[in-house]
């Protein structure tokens, strides 16, 4: 059923007087709703509101959710998602974007409402708090749970609109913006049949990475309190700027107070991850020599063509699309240029330390060869290490992994021991003295408009976290 069919009785009169829809879903005339409060104003700015309106009328109607029937963690999560908190990689401040402080202040209020102690929101936007140990359990090791507040900046240029589909049929799902979450691209969708699935409207990310982790940690605290479950000291932290690789940069381990911790920042519920990529950024800057093309014989050096030559010198299949599991890659993130100057910006990843160093040496060899061919100073390579594989740290405290596996089994979830094809705050914190594996949130397809998660997956993660706390009291 389309929006036009569902709302036909309500919009008949409004169409003649110009149709508007408020952000809370009420239909009225343009005179009754200001442009700033109309959903047609806040979508893709290059389209006129008339075009947006026509598109909306033909889209599938999405049923509104009765929040009284949805479990407690989901409203918290959706409110978090609606809060803009994307990081800015080009900023030199911490946090990289002021909007992260807005979410931090909101979460501080939530933590105060849960009567956590030692709540601190510092001037770098790191938020800490503690749930004191149950009487008699003060000597149980303090464990921590960490999630990050920022989202990626891609697909995040306007407000996020969460869309809830109850009793999902397990088939391809067309989102309001017109894109389709297809079973062909995401075969696991069939396993989500019967669940309540949360997506964006398809024009932005959803923000499950990592606002789902935030909601799950807070809900786990609430479950421990309401059910009088005994526990040691539980330390909580919400961090800024994880998505731009700076989330652990100013993390105060002493303030946090935990002996061990887990980041709640993975994908499928039941994921347990302690092997991440070694990672670096690699930037090529190419300086060309520009002369009139009519007299350029043996003189012109076209920087853009040299850039293409550099990329073609890399192994063609060692890209994200061509690799999986423990296999590393070179990923061209962005490129720009003309005849005079060009740049190539890569991230380089590999789980194996030796293979990672070999990849960096390949880049250095390309720089050397290009300068020998085109002249000294034509190509400049800058490599910046980002993080290392935390497996060498976690190897000394595998009880963290065994406890997580046991917690999954107690919560009737299949444990999934998988390598992280990326990084988390936990890998950097592990090398700073806080061993910190990563656990799944129940989310899928992060960093793009196809991002989705289910209420049931989040509930299962919360159940697993509650059981995990219990394993440390045994």
């Amino acid at each position: 059923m389309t929006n036009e069919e569902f709302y036909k009785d309500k919009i008949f009169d409004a169409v003649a007087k110009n149709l508007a829809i408020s952000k809370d879903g009420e239909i009225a005339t343009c005179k009754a709703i200001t442009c700033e409060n109309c959903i047609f104003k806040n979508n893709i700015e290059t389209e006129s509101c008339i075009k947006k309106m026509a598109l909306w009328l033909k889209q599938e109607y999405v049923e509104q959710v009765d929040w009284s029937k949805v479990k407690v963690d989901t409203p918290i999560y959706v409110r978090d998602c609606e809060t803009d908190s994307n990081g800015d990689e080009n900023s030199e401040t911490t946090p990289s974007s002021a909007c992260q402080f807005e979410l931090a202040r909101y979460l501080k209020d939530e933590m105060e409402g849960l009567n956590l102690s030692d709540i601190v929101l510092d001037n770098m936007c790191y938020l800490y708090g503690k749930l004191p140990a149950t009487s008699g359990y003060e000597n149980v090791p303090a464990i921590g749970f960490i999630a990050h507040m920022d989202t990626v900046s891609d697909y995040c240029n306007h407000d996020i609109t969460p869309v809830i589909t109850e009793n999902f049929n397990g088939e391809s799902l067309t989102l309001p913006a017109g894109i389709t979450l297809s079973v062909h691209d995401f075969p696991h969708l069939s396993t989500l049949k019967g669940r309540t699935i949360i997506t964006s409207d398809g024009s932005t990310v959803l923000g499950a990475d990592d606002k789902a982790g935030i909601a799950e940690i807070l809900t786990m605290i609430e479950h421990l309190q309401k059910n009088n479950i005994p526990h040691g000291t539980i330390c909580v932290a919400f961090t800024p700027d994880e998505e731009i690789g700076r989330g652990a940069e100013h993390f105060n381990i002493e303030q946090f107070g935990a002996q061990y911790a887990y980041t709640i920042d993975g994908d499928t519920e039941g994921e347990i991850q302690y092997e991440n990529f070694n990672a670096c950024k690699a930037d090529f800057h190419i300086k060309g020599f520009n002369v009139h093309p009519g007299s350029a014989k043996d003189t012109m050096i076209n920087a853009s063509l040299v850039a293409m030559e550099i990329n073609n010198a890399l192994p063609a299949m060692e890209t994200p699309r061509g690799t999986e599991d423990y296999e590393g890659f070179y990923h061209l993130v962005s490129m720009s240029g003309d005849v005079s100057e060009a740049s190539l910006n890569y991230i380089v990843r590999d789980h194996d330390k030796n293979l990672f160093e070999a990849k960096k040496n390949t880049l250095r060899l390309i720089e050397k060869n290009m300068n020998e061919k085109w002249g000294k100073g034509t190509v400049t390579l800058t490599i910046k290490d980002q993080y290392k594989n935390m497996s060498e740290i976690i190897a000394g405290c595998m009880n963290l992994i065994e406890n997580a596996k046991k917690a999954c089994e107690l919560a009737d979830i299949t444990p999934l021991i998988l390598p992280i094809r990326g990084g988390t705050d936990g890998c950097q914190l592990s090398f700073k003295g806080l061993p910190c594996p990563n656990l799944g949130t129940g989310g899928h397809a992060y960093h793009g408009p196809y991002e989705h998660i289910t209420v049931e997956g989040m509930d299962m993660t919360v159940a697993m976290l509650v059981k995990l706390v219990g394993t440390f009291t045994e």
Side-chain angles (χ1 to χ4, degrees):
M1 179 185 298
T2 65
N3 286 319
E4 185 175 14
E5 292 168 333
F6 182 83
Y7 287 110
K8 62 182 180 181
D9 294 332
K10 292 186 179 181
I11 68 175
F12 180 79
D13 185 56
V15 167
K17 303 174 184 177
N18 292 329
L19 175 63
I21 303 177
S22 67
K23 291 180 180 178
D24 61 7
E26 289 300 313
I27 293 180
T29 66
C30 284
K31 290 182 179 180
I33 299 176
T34 64
C35 288
E36 292 303 320
N37 289 319
C38 178
I39 64 169
F40 299 135
K41 169 68 176 178
N42 288 291
N43 286 339
I44 303 169
E45 295 296 336
T46 55
E47 295 181 358
S48 71
C49 59
I50 299 298
K51 288 182 179 179
K52 296 173 194 173
M53 185 191 308
L55 178 64
W56 175 84
L57 287 169
K58 300 303 179 185
Q59 288 172 351
E60 286 295 305
Y61 166 70
V62 179
E63 185 177 356
Q64 299 298 306
V65 176
D66 179 357
W67 288 115
S68 65
K69 298 178 182 178
V70 181
K71 295 189 179 180
V72 65
D73 51 3
T74 312
I76 294 173
Y77 164 62
V78 170
R79 287 200 301 273
D80 288 354
C81 279
E82 290 172 339
T83 303
D84 176 18
S85 62
N86 52 299
D88 179 2
E89 188 173 10
N90 297 316
S91 171
E92 296 181 358
T93 65
T94 302
S96 64
S97 55
C99 55
Q100 294 181 67
F101 258 121
E102 295 179 26
L103 178 56
R105 293 185 189 101
Y106 163 73
L107 293 174
K108 183 173 181 285
D109 290 342
E110 291 281 335
M111 292 167 72
E112 289 171 349
L114 291 170
N115 294 316
L116 298 190
S117 67
D118 302 293
I119 299 172
V120 173
L121 175 57
D122 68 19
N123 61 358
M124 297 284 191
C125 200
Y126 289 77
L127 178 60
Y128 308 93
K130 291 184 177 71
L131 179 64
T134 306
S135 179
Y137 290 82
E138 292 86 355
N139 293 326
V140 171
I143 60 169
F145 296 92
I146 302 168
H148 64 88
M149 295 180 283
D150 62 314
T151 59
V152 291
S153 56
D154 299 332
Y155 298 97
C156 208
N157 61 353
H158 60 274
D159 290 346
I160 295 172
T161 304
V163 175
I164 293 88
T165 303
E166 295 181 298
N167 195 24
F168 175 55
N169 62 12
E171 300 174 1
S172 296
L173 177 66
T174 299
L175 304 181
I179 68 169
T180 298
L181 192 60
S182 74
V183 175
H184 176 268
D185 294 326
F186 305 103
H188 69 271
L189 285 172
S190 62
T191 69
L192 306 181
K193 183 177 180 179
R195 296 190 183 189
T196 295
I197 189 170
I198 308 175
T199 65
S200 74
D201 64 2
S203 66
T204 66
V205 296
L206 174 62
D209 180 12
D210 186 28
K211 291 169 182 176
I214 293 172
E216 288 160 354
I217 291 170
L218 292 177
T219 305
M220 176 265 293
I221 295 289
E222 191 174 43
H223 277 249
L224 293 174
Q225 293 173 325
K226 285 187 174 180
N227 296 289
N228 297 315
I229 297 172
H231 54 81
T233 299
I234 307 297
C235 306
V236 174
F238 301 132
T239 65
D241 293 338
E242 190 271 353
E243 296 292 0
I244 60 174
R246 306 206 304 249
E249 203 166 274
H250 301 286
F251 191 97
N252 189 329
I253 292 177
E254 185 177 352
Q255 173 70 52
F256 186 50
Q259 184 174 345
Y260 308 107
Y262 296 88
T263 51
I264 315 303
D265 190 22
D267 298 345
T268 307
E269 60 272 15
E271 277 189 355
I272 304 168
Q273 301 171 310
Y274 64 96
E275 300 171 284
N276 60 276
F277 279 137
N278 296 289
C280 72
K281 292 174 63 177
D283 299 321
F284 284 98
H285 181 261
I286 303 100
K287 184 177 181 181
F289 191 82
N290 193 4
V291 295
H292 193 287
S295 55
K297 174 70 173 176
D298 297 328
T299 304
M300 177 185 285
I301 301 174
N302 189 321
S304 292
L305 291 178
V306 176
M308 294 167 64
E309 193 174 349
I310 290 170
N311 191 67
N312 288 339
L314 292 170
M317 293 305 295
E318 291 187 23
T319 64
R321 181 178 174 87
T323 54
E324 61 183 353
D325 298 330
Y326 290 92
E327 297 168 341
F329 57 75
Y330 306 87
H331 178 39
L332 179 59
V333 177
S334 63
M335 59 188 297
S336 62
D338 52 27
V339 176
S340 298
E341 285 190 278
S343 63
L344 298 168
N345 307 109
Y346 293 89
I347 58 172
V348 183
R349 304 289 190 260
D350 209 298
H351 283 88
D352 185 277
K353 183 189 297 185
N354 293 329
L355 292 177
F356 178 60
E357 290 302 321
K359 283 181 167 58
K360 292 195 285 186
N361 287 334
T362 295
L363 297 172
R364 294 183 182 110
L365 180 61
I366 291 172
E367 176 193 30
K368 176 177 177 289
N369 291 341
M370 291 297 108
N371 282 326
E372 288 176 352
K373 178 177 180 178
W374 296 106
K376 184 178 179 180
T378 300
V379 174
T380 303
L381 169 65
T382 303
I383 295 176
K384 182 179 180 181
D385 286 324
Q386 294 176 299
Y387 49 83
K388 297 188 290 185
N389 190 341
M390 68 173 141
S391 61
E392 61 185 88
I393 303 298
I394 304 302
C397 43
M398 286 299 289
N399 62 304
L400 298 178
I401 307 306
E402 294 306 314
N403 284 5
K405 288 168 61 178
K406 182 177 181 180
C408 284
E409 292 161 356
L410 290 171
D412 200 25
I413 301 171
T414 302
L416 303 171
I417 309 295
L418 298 171
I420 307 173
R421 288 186 60 79
T424 67
D425 285 341
C427 55
Q428 297 184 57
L429 292 172
S430 293
F431 283 94
K432 290 186 173 187
L434 179 65
C436 195
N438 188 46
L439 303 176
T441 64
H444 304 274
Y446 290 162
H447 292 198
Y450 300 96
E451 191 177 1
H452 56 282
I453 196 167
T454 66
V455 173
E456 292 78 4
M458 294 174 69
D459 287 336
M460 292 166 73
T461 298
V462 171
M464 180 267 183
L465 295 180
V466 170
K467 298 296 184 183
L468 179 57
V469 168
T471 65
F472 284 88
T473 65
E474 296 173 354

